[in-house]
Each structure stands twice: as C-alpha cells, then as structure tokens.
Amino acid sequence: LKKNISLLIVIILFLSCSFSASAHPSGVTCYPGAEILGYSVDCNNHQANNSFTYSYHGLLGSYTQYVTSGVSKWSGTVSISYKTSPLLSQGAVSVYTDPDTSTVAEFYNYSSNSSGHLTSWEIRFNKSIMDGRTTTKNETTAAHEFGHAIGLNDLKHSTNQSQLMYGYSDRTATAPSTKDIIGAKEATK
Ligand SMILES: [Zn+2]
C-alpha cells in the first residue's frame, strides 16, 4: 500500500507539472498531440479560436494566388480571412529573395499572449526557391505555413510524410489530411 501511495504522489506531481506548463484559461486545456497521432499543437503559440486574419506586406504578385489557394485548403476547418489593411489583420504575409538558404518559406516573428494564443505573426516565401517550383507545390507550401499560423508544429517522423504538416519538402500531402484537420481543431478550441 505504501508503494502505491508514493507512486500516486509521483503521478500527481507529474500531472500538476505538465498542466501548469501550459498557461491556458481555466477549464480549457491545450492538448499537444504527438508524432504518433499525426499532429502536434504548439500550446504556447496557437489560435484562440477557429477564425483569424492576414494581410500582405509589400507586393506579392503571383504569390497572392498561392496564398489564396493555400488558405482555401483549410476552409471548413478554420476560417482564415484576408484584410486589406495590415492594421486590421493578425498576420502579415510577404515574399523575399535569398539564394543562399535552403529555406523555402517561414512562419516567424510570432508572439502570443499569456494564454498561449497568437497575437501576431509573419509568413514569408523565398522567391529564390519557389519561383522555380510548380504551382501545386507552392500552394501546398502556403497551406503548410498557414498550418503553423493555426498553431500546428512541423512533424519530423517519416510515418507522417502524408500529413500536410510534415516538415520536409518530400511530403506527399497537397492539402490537410484527416490528422491535420484533427490537429487544427485541437489547436483552435
Ligand atoms: Zn513547417
């Protein structure tokens, strides 16, 4: 019995530690998911609900079409709307040119409030790489980056190659999979 009680104490300590790690409003727990579940939520940087906005910084040219298509791949799961004014939008989307990196696109410069909810973020697309790729690949990249804006992490394990949030360019998904959608719903609860 003594052994069981100390085990129970260890479990309670472990649970209280893991719950206090995510600063979430009472009654709402951010579920982080796992590679084995096919999705991973960034509990410190995810959306407060299933609707958010973005605008463009600078001229995107043909990239607006990649963005529009990428965003539409999430429709029915998360409502992501375009705002003309950067002042009225949560996130900023832009393009840049850097031939000296293998980075295709980035979700970066993000900040969140004490509940772990994103308050601002940026996505940028590297023209040096993306100008030489197919439209389908670029639309998929846009959808993947917006997955980060939803609050999903990259997946690294090869068993997740068929998820949109797989972090490497040899992913096979061109749109959110069933598991990406489950993750997006968890991230925006
Ligand atoms: Zn990524």
Side-chain angles (χ1 to χ4, degrees), residues 11-27:
I11 290 169
I12 288 167
L13 282 174
F14 172 75
L15 286 176
S16 56
C17 285
S18 55
F19 281 123
S20 64
S22 99
H24 233 261
S26 59

Side-chain angles (χ1 to χ4, degrees), residues 67-155:
V67 171
T68 306
S69 170
V71 161
S72 74
K73 291 172 191 276
W74 287 106
S75 81
T77 305
V78 182
S79 164
I80 308 171
S81 337
Y82 171 73
K83 295 278 182 190
T84 318
S85 167
L87 297 171
L88 298 174
S89 68
Q90 185 188 66
V93 180
S94 63
V95 293
Y96 70 115
T97 303
D98 186 352
D100 302 318
T101 175
S102 59
T103 303
V104 177
E106 278 184 297
F107 175 75
Y108 71 118
N109 229 359
Y110 49 88
S111 42
S112 296
N113 62 23
S114 59
S115 299
H117 296 150
L118 285 159
T119 51
S120 68
W121 47 267
E122 293 186 50
I123 287 172
R124 63 177 183 174
F125 300 106
N126 189 357
K127 285 171 67 67
S128 294
I129 294 173
M130 292 179 67
D131 279 358
R133 304 196 320 170
T134 64
T135 298
T136 304
K137 255 205 151 169
N138 290 344
E139 290 171 349
T140 304
T141 293
H144 173 94
E145 295 308 318
F146 274 88
H148 288 310
I150 286 168
L152 295 172
N153 290 316
D154 280 327
L155 297 164

